[in-house]
Amino acid sequence: MPRLRWCPPLALLAALLACASRPSPPSESPPPPAVETKAPASPTLRLPTHVRPTGYTAALTIDPAQPRFQGEIDIDLDVTQGADVVWLHARELTVKEATLTVGGASVPVRQTKGEGDFLGFVPEQALVPGAARLRLVYEGVLSERETGGAFRAQEFEGWYVFTHFEPLDARRVFPCFDEPGFKVPWQLTFHTPKGYTAVTNTPQVAEEPGPSGTTTWRFARTQPLPSYLIAFGVGTFDFVEAQPSGQKAVRTRIITPKGRGAQAAYAAQVTPEILALLERYFGTPYPYEKLDILAIPLRGGAMENAGLVTFNTELALNKSAEGSVEWQRRFYETQVHELAHQWFGNLVTMAWWDDLWLNESFASWAETRILREARPSWGATEEAARNRSSALESDSLVSARRIRQPIERSDDILAAFDGITYGKGSAVLSMTEAWLGADVFQRGVRRYLAAHAHGNATADDFLSALSAEAGQDVSQVLSSFLEQGGAPLVSARLDCAGQTPEVKLSQSRFLPLGSQGEAARRWAIPLCVRYPTAGKPARACTVLREETGALALPEAKGCPAWFLPNAEGVGYFRMALDGKSLRPLLASDTRALSRTERVALLGDVNALAHNGTLPAADALALVPALAAEKDRQVFEASQELMGLMRPTLLSDEGRAARERLLRETYSARARAAGFLPRAGEDEDTRLLRNELLRLATGMGGDPAIIAEARRLANQWFEGTSPLRDKDLQNTVLSVAALHGDAAFHARVVKLWRLEPDRGRRAQLARALMGFRQPERVQENLGLLLDPGVDIRELRYLLVFTGRDARTRRLTFDFVKAHYDALVRRLPEDEGNLLLWAVASFCDPQQREDFATFFAERMKGLSKGPRTYAQALEEMDLCIAYKQAQGPSVEAFLSRWRTK
């Protein structure tokens, strides 16, 4: 490509020479009229691609104690066709200087503001193909409101700066091409006050003293990365060295706020192990030069930034004496997810956000795949079956997204991070792996990664790699799940009239009661039927492509006593059987089904009650028998049935009966478990304890357990608690708060305001969210308006109170009364919390009140339109379910009514 040189055109040069030789006009002559410069047309969704970055060199001056930062960035550009403007993204940045260099010469440019976050730089003369460099000097904000971009947080007496850029927040820190398709190297330098340390994606190459007591931190150039994977932190840190990780033995550290390094032991222990497992599966070494795990406050979850993975402090850190089984599992699973992204998302990056599933679906699928090998006792396959049910529930909405949803506006990008992308996507991948075989699927994954390493890819690229290894076109099956919303309902019945028994199959879209969706929809559905034979159970498999089909059971000797059309519960569909076929599968003494199959079946039973195929009372009749279930995964799956009798649906008498049912059903087992773990307990017993205690007290109101919770909570306040398990501590505090009085509430608030330790603050915040007495809830909600309160710590309080039938109306009234103030205080990208917090009404009048209040307001909220549509649909479905199944639920509860 020719090197671009900028020269004035001949006509302009001649005009300039003519002006130079012409005598000056008389002073009284009027100045020439100003020439109006027409603003260039702004992009509306995506940047043009004829001007692309080839690399960034940036230097940031950051003092965490100050609210603003300064930046300088040089962007190397490749111009592939004539361009009269260079567009990029910038948000809440003030560009003070802009210089365009072409062929070694400086070209004057002017700024132009485009729509939304687009910022343009217009040269005096249109650029021709070749190379150029844009240098910008600018200033930005270190936010105390957001948890995206670069944000500030205080830990004890010190200030820190952390970042989170996915999906659209790199533009808050760097003027850049903030789209995943622009994947190039970055070179970062930081200037900080002395005493602070900077960390980022790559190894440090220099630490130099700067002027006025500052320090300059220089870092190695990255491999090609999209802007959303750049990250950094500035603060006073503890560095905990783990064993070098992976085939390349890269340096691995856990980085924590000062004073919390001792809490990183578990993270340091398991991270190298997880990376080795992933390398073995993907067949290639970890792609980057080092691996740091940075613990950051306020932002939930974790983020897979290349070489600098960030974790919420309370997810990554735990005092060794308080590390619970539940917490360890959460960290391990999340770390598998984030490190799987180093291949799916980082090494190979989606070309555009409509293929976000190539990141998140695969990382979620990898959790099950790796945990099944590394921790077989954890029940990862059964957990995946529960997650499948959750995804199917979300997918039953007409307003649900597709996995590959077209992106029509920036808000669609934010909305893509949902249960469809994560849950449905991973379930469809598990179904595909089972259909093709684990070896074929693994070879397809490896082919895809090798073909697109350090580049970008699309769904078609992955389907092509998989098809090449499978020896067949897999796109018809996968595309039927990727490209359309909704999920199949597969109806199956046994036909033994012929010589060989058959299962007659039919498919339609699963729709709950009250849905306005169209049932006539088709998928290509891989499924296997399991059935008994004289020896071990056999299976027969097919791909159901048409509305109806039949599958022979060739190994059956006579008519099978039972059959299961979703072997191992791995198919992404709801299953409907007639009563005769369903009964033997649900019998409490039947162990023909695997644990995973029982978990999946209970999810389907719950769904069949929600779409009216099964009376709710018949499904609820399973609850008392399952209360004694020893298997934790099956027990927890049975709790999905509680949604069939949630308080919103019930009369006052029905709610009282429900509380009595729960107390009588679970209290004895909860009391036997108690709050204090016993020596020699297995992990499932420990995990079940929390669930049982919550059932017996949170919903059942057992007075003895509540009193014990109050006693243990007071001991925790005083530092004398015998409980070392943080999750049990949280259960104690939540139970005590739910039944706490004004004095207890005042104590929690006071301690929360004074507590400097982030971990204990988080526990006290959870306790605050447990109160349900109207006066206490009013006081809690008032904290959200207190300018001295960091709303990022308490923003989910709205959801905890708004989603509870006892305090939903009160929360909605608060939102209406203080709407504008809440919008100003909440993080900008989380404005839809105001919708979700009060989106579970199940009454026509309250539904109308919600619809009217948010009809216009939702347009100004992040993800507002989609959240609004889903909220209204869920309320309509609840109202329809209550009308159709309410009498059945009340009839079931009648035996627990007070006489």
Side-chain angles (χ1 to χ4, degrees):
M1 186 173 293
R3 184 176 180 82
L4 184 149
R5 294 183 301 127
W6 186 89
C7 299
L10 291 177
L12 177 59
L13 185 60
L16 291 172
L17 290 172
C19 288
S21 61
R22 186 179 303 151
S24 300
S27 59
E28 65 271 12
S29 298
V35 178
E36 291 188 11
T37 304
K38 184 179 180 182
S42 172
T44 56
L45 178 61
R46 301 181 67 171
L47 288 166
T49 58
H50 59 278
V51 179
R52 302 179 63 91
T54 59
Y56 297 92
T57 303
L60 301 178
T61 301
I62 294 176
D63 180 352
Q66 300 301 318
R68 301 191 69 82
F69 70 92
Q70 289 71 46
E72 300 176 9
I73 189 167
D74 291 286
I75 310 175
D76 292 317
L77 301 172
D78 178 32
V79 182
T80 59
Q81 66 183 57
D84 56 6
V85 59
V86 177
W87 288 106
L88 42 73
H89 293 105
R91 188 175 186 181
E92 295 184 349
L93 299 178
T94 302
V95 176
K96 298 178 176 180
E97 298 177 26
T99 306
L100 184 65
T101 303
V102 180
S106 177
V107 178
V109 292
R110 63 178 175 85
Q111 292 184 52
T112 181
K113 184 70 177 74
E115 296 181 16
D117 295 341
F118 292 107
L119 181 62
F121 296 89
V122 183
E124 281 191 349
Q125 190 72 17
L127 299 177
V128 297
R133 171 174 284 193
L134 180 64
R135 177 174 177 78
L136 304 174
V137 179
Y138 62 97
E139 185 176 73
V141 177
L142 301 173
S143 181
E144 290 184 67
R145 172 192 177 191
E146 308 296 337
T147 57
F151 62 94
R152 293 205 304 154
Q154 196 167 17
E155 293 284 314
F156 289 94
E157 299 301 318
W159 283 97
Y160 293 77
V161 169
F162 301 104
T163 62
H164 181 94
F165 290 163
E166 188 183 38
L168 305 176
D169 283 331
R171 63 193 67 177
R172 291 181 183 269
V173 177
F174 303 107
C176 62
F177 294 73
D178 196 14
E179 295 177 10
F182 299 108
K183 188 175 182 181
V184 299
W186 292 68
Q187 177 95 46
L188 297 182
T189 298
F190 299 89
H191 307 292
T192 71
K194 187 176 180 179
Y196 285 102
T197 301
V199 293
T200 188
N201 303 78
T202 52
Q204 176 187 316
V205 295
E207 175 187 348
E208 304 164 354
S212 304
T214 62
T215 303
T216 295
W217 308 87
R218 303 188 190 280
F219 293 88
R221 196 165 185 81
T222 73
Q223 297 184 51
L225 292 176
S227 52
Y228 80 87
L229 288 175
I230 300 301
F232 60 84
V234 177
T236 52
F237 299 116
D238 286 351
F239 293 86
V240 179
E241 294 280 349
Q243 289 295 317
S245 293
Q247 298 173 30
K248 298 187 297 184
V250 299
R251 188 181 190 184
T252 303
R253 303 179 298 181
I254 315 300
I255 305 173
T256 78
K258 188 174 179 62
R260 299 194 71 176
Q263 301 174 29
Y266 184 75
Q269 173 193 334
V270 301
T271 294
E273 170 193 329
I274 293 169
L275 197 73
L277 290 165
L278 288 163
E279 283 186 335
R280 190 160 69 221
Y281 183 83
F282 292 129
T284 57
Y286 170 69
Y288 303 104
E289 295 76 21
K290 56 99 172 170
L291 176 58
D292 286 336
I293 311 301
L294 176 62
I296 69 175
L298 299 175
R299 185 169 185 97
M303 176 62 201
E304 67 268 18
N305 314 296
L308 186 70
V309 177
T310 55
F311 265 78
N312 174 266
T313 47
E314 306 321 304
L315 179 58
L317 308 178
N318 211 321
K319 296 177 182 177
S320 58
E322 296 179 359
S324 69
V325 171
E326 194 169 350
W327 173 83
Q328 288 179 2
R329 291 190 178 193
R330 282 197 301 270
F331 176 82
Y332 199 104
E333 291 168 1
T334 307
Q335 185 68 298
V336 171
H337 183 106
E338 303 311 325
L339 295 186
H341 272 309
Q342 306 305 309
W343 287 266
F344 270 97
N346 297 9
L347 179 64
V348 180
T349 305
M350 64 205 160
W352 179 236
W353 294 107
D354 57 352
D355 272 324
L356 178 64
W357 76 284
L358 288 172
N359 289 14
E360 301 302 346
S361 299
F362 275 90
S364 299
W365 163 83
E367 293 177 41
T368 303
R369 183 64 181 76
I370 297 301
L371 285 168
R372 197 167 58 208
E373 175 184 354
R375 299 290 189 272
S377 66
W378 285 9
T381 305
E382 292 79 10
E383 188 67 28
R386 291 184 62 201
N387 292 337
R388 158 197 168 273
S389 285
S390 179
L392 283 163
E393 183 178 354
S394 298
D395 212 10
S396 69
L397 298 178
V398 175
S399 55
R401 295 176 55 260
R402 313 174 202 172
I403 295 177
R404 294 195 75 232
Q405 180 76 26
I407 303 296
E408 298 175 350
R409 54 187 181 273
S410 294
D411 208 48
D412 291 335
I413 299 171
L414 299 173
F417 292 82
D418 69 352
I420 296 299
T421 299
Y422 290 74
K424 178 179 180 178
S426 62
V428 168
L429 290 174
S430 293
M431 176 178 68
T432 304
E433 181 186 29
W435 167 47
L436 297 177
D439 290 343
V440 170
F441 188 81
Q442 183 182 34
R443 292 199 305 271
V445 165
R446 290 181 172 186
R447 176 187 284 261
Y448 166 80
L449 293 173
H452 305 285
H454 297 295
N456 297 87
T458 67
D460 288 341
D461 294 321
F462 177 70
L463 297 182
S464 176
L466 208 55
S467 295
E469 294 297 338
Q472 60 175 306
D473 184 3
V474 304
S475 61
Q476 183 188 17
V477 170
L478 263 75
S479 293
S480 71
F481 289 89
L482 297 175
E483 305 289 352
Q484 63 179 338
L489 172 67
V490 174
S491 300
R493 63 178 180 84
L494 190 60
D495 183 356
C496 294
Q499 185 174 359
T500 301
E502 288 186 329
V503 175
K504 301 292 187 181
L505 302 166
S506 64
Q507 65 163 304
S508 60
R509 181 176 183 176
F510 175 84
L511 295 171
L513 286 161
S515 176
Q516 301 301 307
E518 172 57 54
R521 187 171 287 183
R522 301 289 173 267
W523 290 260
I525 309 168
L527 63 84
C528 291
V529 174
R530 208 160 69 84
Y531 59 98
T533 65
K536 65 179 182 179
R539 65 172 59 207
C541 301
T542 188
V543 176
L544 180 63
R545 302 176 189 272
E546 304 300 330
E547 181 180 359
T548 61
L551 179 62
L553 309 181
E555 296 184 46
K557 304 302 180 184
C559 201
W562 57 268
F563 73 102
L564 182 73
N566 189 5
E568 293 307 320
V570 75
Y572 188 77
F573 55 85
R574 290 298 191 191
M575 178 182 69
L577 302 175
D578 58 33
K580 180 181 177 182
S581 300
L582 191 59
R583 276 191 292 275
L585 300 180
L586 293 174
S588 59
D589 59 346
T590 296
R591 289 297 179 264
L593 304 188
S594 69
R595 279 199 317 176
T596 308
E597 288 168 339
R598 294 181 71 202
V599 168
L601 180 61
L602 286 169
D604 287 343
V605 167
N606 181 49
L608 294 178
H610 273 101
N611 84 336
T613 301
L614 186 70
D618 290 359
L620 287 169
L622 299 171
V623 170
L626 287 167
E629 174 63 51
K630 295 292 191 295
D631 188 287
R632 179 181 63 85
Q633 294 283 4
V634 176
F635 178 86
E636 290 182 348
S638 73
Q639 299 309 298
E640 292 184 36
L641 299 174
M642 295 296 178
L644 297 173
M645 55 174 179
R646 53 193 180 275
T648 301
L649 305 168
L650 304 174
S651 64
D652 290 342
E653 287 186 344
R655 282 191 286 272
R658 176 181 181 272
E659 185 172 318
R660 184 177 178 186
L661 159 65
L662 295 174
R663 189 165 56 248
E664 292 184 4
T665 304
Y666 297 105
S667 282
R669 193 173 177 186
R671 289 184 185 188
F675 284 101
L676 296 174
R678 297 170 179 83
E681 284 182 340
D682 60 28
E683 291 185 351
D684 276 2
T685 299
R686 294 186 180 188
L687 291 168
L688 268 176
R689 174 178 284 107
N690 276 314
E691 186 70 27
L692 287 166
L693 291 168
R694 284 191 287 262
L695 283 166
T697 57
M699 294 185 282
D702 184 286
I705 301 177
I706 292 168
E708 177 68 0
R710 286 290 302 272
R711 186 182 69 81
L712 290 168
N714 285 323
Q715 288 182 339
W716 185 85
F717 292 150
E718 295 159 5
T720 60
S721 173
L723 297 177
R724 294 294 177 262
D725 183 320
K726 183 174 283 190
D727 289 296
L728 268 177
Q729 293 171 358
N730 289 336
T731 297
V732 163
L733 292 171
S734 296
V735 171
L738 180 61
H739 303 279
D741 55 17
F744 187 82
H745 179 263
R747 188 175 192 185
V748 173
V749 172
K750 180 180 179 180
L751 289 171
W752 176 78
R753 286 187 179 277
L754 296 175
E755 178 59 59
D757 180 87
R758 177 71 64 180
R760 284 179 66 89
R761 284 182 68 81
Q763 289 184 277
L764 289 162
R766 284 177 63 97
L768 282 175
M769 295 175 195
F771 287 92
R772 289 297 177 269
Q773 305 87 343
E775 297 82 6
R776 308 292 83 76
V777 171
Q778 288 281 18
E779 293 177 52
N780 284 346
L781 292 172
L783 293 172
L784 300 177
L785 303 175
D786 185 338
V789 168
D790 187 338
I791 198 171
R792 296 174 297 184
E793 289 189 85
L794 289 183
R795 62 193 186 276
Y796 295 117
L797 189 150
L798 275 172
V799 178
F800 275 78
T801 59
R803 303 294 283 189
D804 192 296
R806 292 164 289 192
T807 52
R808 182 177 304 123
R809 187 73 223 184
L810 186 156
T811 307
F812 186 32
D813 289 342
F814 174 82
V815 168
K816 289 194 293 184
H818 303 286
Y819 182 81
D820 292 338
L822 290 168
V823 168
R824 287 192 299 269
R825 283 180 56 75
L826 282 169
E828 188 176 347
D829 288 346
E830 296 186 36
N832 70 322
L833 281 179
L834 294 170
L835 285 157
W836 271 130
V838 291
S840 54
F841 290 119
C842 199
D843 171 87
Q845 182 56 51
Q846 293 174 333
R847 185 259 191 214
E848 186 60 29
D849 192 4
F850 174 95
T852 301
F853 182 78
F854 283 111
E856 292 300 320
R857 291 177 175 86
M858 59 88 179
K859 297 174 184 177
L861 298 176
S862 169
K863 296 170 279 188
R866 181 170 292 277
T867 305
Y868 180 74
Q870 290 185 333
L872 291 179
E873 184 179 0
E874 287 192 352
M875 284 187 256
D876 288 338
L877 296 179
C878 184
I879 292 166
Y881 172 82
K882 182 178 181 178
Q883 182 177 3
Q885 292 276 37
S888 180
V889 176
E890 294 278 358
F892 168 76
L893 290 170
S894 61
R895 60 182 280 202
W896 284 278
R897 293 184 189 276
T898 304
K899 297 181 180 178

